Amino acid sequence: MRVSVVGAGLGGLALAQGLRGAGIETEVFERDPGIVARFQGYRLVLNPIGFQAVRDCLPTRWHPLLDEIVMDATAEQLILDPQLNEIGRLGAGRTGIVVDRQVLRHLLLTGLDIHTDAAFTGYDAQADGRVRAQFTHRDPVVSDLLVGADGVTSAVRGVLSPQTTPTDTGVRFVIGRTPLTDEFEGLSKAFGSKIAGDGVSLLLGAMRFRTPPKQAAEQLAPEVTLPDIGDYVRWAMILPPNGSLEDLSAQDAVLSRMDGWHPQLRALIEEADPDNSTLLSIRVVKPGARWATGPVTLLGDAIHATSPTGGNGANTALRDADLLRRCLIDADQGRQDLLGAVADYENQMFEYGAEAVRSSLEKLPAFAPEAKLS
């Protein structure tokens, strides 16, 4: 069996690792000109399903390394005012496994066959049931299965399911990170909580590595190269829907909305790494009408992009990867045919994917009351 994966995000890479471990030929095609062409370094909270999924997709020899570069997290999920006084609660406390996206992505990249600067342009179904995919700057590739793991603007989805399109909630947010120095330890009660300002919400989260990733890889898996990164605070400010940024930098856009805020909060933004601060929009993709099962399918944000307020986007993509991995191994080992395996995956994925989008949107008004949810 030969599988082509379009998109080198966490879901696509986890699938490729899982298939590679099962001896299934897999290639990954990425439209970016290089693996580190874009900042992908924010912190993620993985639930038990998401963490087990990525663990199951990785070789067992890397499990000790994975365990060393994550942290357990417990957050009270308070609501604080700009002076850090408690004024409410978001709900029940939240626990999970915290991981840095950039670090995890580098682990997942290790040993894979990755083709960069290969934007997907279309595909054709072949008479023998296989699929021929076209890319920029390289020859077409024929495979038994084409997997679109290429995000919210998925080019694969545009061909397979053109009626399924992203919905823009109108909400924008600025995300960044600041080194976690002693100066900011005093903010610890705000980690995992929402700071409610005038029409904006600021969210903070700590990333503390058990062992610095580069050092951990050198000690536990020398064939893996991980980024040289230290502990940090991830921050994100959710802005009013369609709010003007007045051509400001990401940091200045946040600071312009923090007049009179606690000096430690302002210092946190002022001392952020400008190269790791960026403006993003919140768009969702709701799984719609099913396509006829065939040699092309979708994974992750390409078919069920969620609002980050749900905390379930990466978890659901990793769940997809592990489920599809297991289904394809069954097909490769003759326990069922390929189309049956793909159908089994899609039947389950559509159900929990739709629920992930719904639950993420349900939580969005707590952070952006004027968001467009229809």
Side-chain angles (χ1 to χ4, degrees):
M1 182 188 297
R2 184 180 190 188
V3 177
S4 296
V5 178
V6 178
L10 296 184
L13 294 175
L15 172 64
Q17 280 288 354
L19 296 180
R20 173 176 174 259
I24 296 173
E25 183 182 357
T26 308
E27 293 179 287
V28 179
F29 301 86
E30 169 57 50
R31 64 174 173 255
D32 284 348
I35 287 300
V36 294
R38 291 180 292 120
F39 166 62
Q40 299 193 40
Y42 49 88
R43 162 190 183 276
L44 298 168
V45 180
L46 299 182
N47 60 31
I49 292 175
F51 185 65
Q52 190 61 49
V54 74
R55 191 178 184 85
D56 288 346
C57 287
L58 286 170
T60 55
R61 67 181 182 279
W62 291 349
H63 289 180
L65 174 58
L66 177 64
D67 292 339
E68 200 62 29
I69 58 173
V70 302
M71 62 174 276
D72 296 315
T74 301
E76 292 190 75
Q77 290 196 296
L78 306 174
I79 302 175
L80 308 174
D81 68 16
Q83 298 304 320
L84 300 177
N85 300 305
E86 182 179 341
I87 58 175
R89 289 179 175 266
L90 282 170
R94 185 183 178 198
T95 60
I97 300 293
V98 179
V99 63
D100 178 81
R101 182 186 181 96
Q102 181 187 20
V103 171
L104 179 58
R105 187 166 182 254
H106 274 75
L107 177 58
L108 289 168
L109 283 163
T110 304
L112 294 182
D113 192 1
I114 310 287
H115 305 281
T116 56
D117 199 21
F120 172 84
T121 58
Y123 67 81
D124 299 301
Q126 304 290 285
D128 61 0
R130 305 178 82 199
V131 59
R132 179 177 179 269
Q134 292 94 42
F135 303 90
T136 58
H137 307 132
R138 62 169 296 110
D139 293 334
V141 175
V142 176
S143 54
D144 296 288
L145 182 67
L146 175 68
V147 181
D150 49 341
V152 68
T153 60
S154 173
V156 179
R157 185 191 66 237
V159 181
L160 177 64
S161 183
Q163 73 277 12
T164 306
T165 57
T167 299
D168 191 338
T169 65
V171 180
R172 304 290 179 265
F173 68 106
V174 181
I175 191 167
R177 72 184 187 201
T178 304
L180 180 52
T181 60
D182 292 342
E183 176 184 4
F184 300 121
E185 286 291 349
L187 293 173
S188 59
K189 79 170 185 178
F191 297 159
S193 298
K194 178 182 87 167
I195 301 160
D198 184 13
V200 299
S201 298
L202 181 67
L203 312 176
L204 306 181
M207 183 70 238
R208 295 184 178 94
F209 298 102
R210 292 170 180 164
T211 301
K214 185 174 185 294
Q215 177 184 336
E218 290 170 349
Q219 294 173 350
L220 298 172
E223 72 275 22
V224 178
T225 300
L226 296 183
D228 188 6
I229 181 175
D231 297 347
Y232 64 85
V233 179
R234 187 274 297 133
W235 50 263
M237 178 172 276
I238 300 179
L239 305 172
N242 301 316
S244 170
L245 292 180
E246 302 155 354
D247 297 322
L248 298 174
S249 69
Q251 283 171 278
D252 287 342
V254 173
L255 289 169
S256 70
R257 291 162 169 82
M258 295 179 68
D259 290 344
W261 285 43
H262 194 288
Q264 273 195 314
L265 292 173
R266 288 189 58 89
L268 182 75
I269 308 304
E270 290 168 348
E271 296 181 27
D273 178 358
D275 293 334
N276 288 321
S277 303
T278 189
L279 172 71
L280 299 168
S281 61
I282 295 182
R283 292 174 291 171
V284 299
V285 175
K286 300 178 182 179
R290 286 283 301 275
W291 53 84
T293 299
V296 183
T297 194
L298 300 172
L299 177 155
D301 284 357
I303 185 57
H304 47 62
T306 67
S307 165
T309 51
N312 55 12
N315 285 294
T316 311
L318 292 170
R319 182 178 180 178
D320 289 351
D322 186 44
L323 173 60
L324 184 53
R325 171 190 73 88
R326 288 185 278 113
C327 290
L328 293 180
I329 290 173
D330 282 347
D332 188 59
Q333 296 181 354
R335 289 189 285 272
Q336 66 174 327
D337 61 75
L338 177 59
L339 292 187
V342 173
D344 283 352
Y345 160 71
E346 292 175 348
N347 288 336
Q348 297 179 62
M349 177 271 289
F350 262 73
E351 182 174 350
Y352 65 70
E355 173 58 22
V357 178
R358 187 203 63 76
S359 64
S360 77
L361 288 175
E362 187 178 65
K363 295 180 175 70
L364 184 56
F367 301 91
E370 299 176 21
K372 303 170 188 174
L373 303 185
S374 59

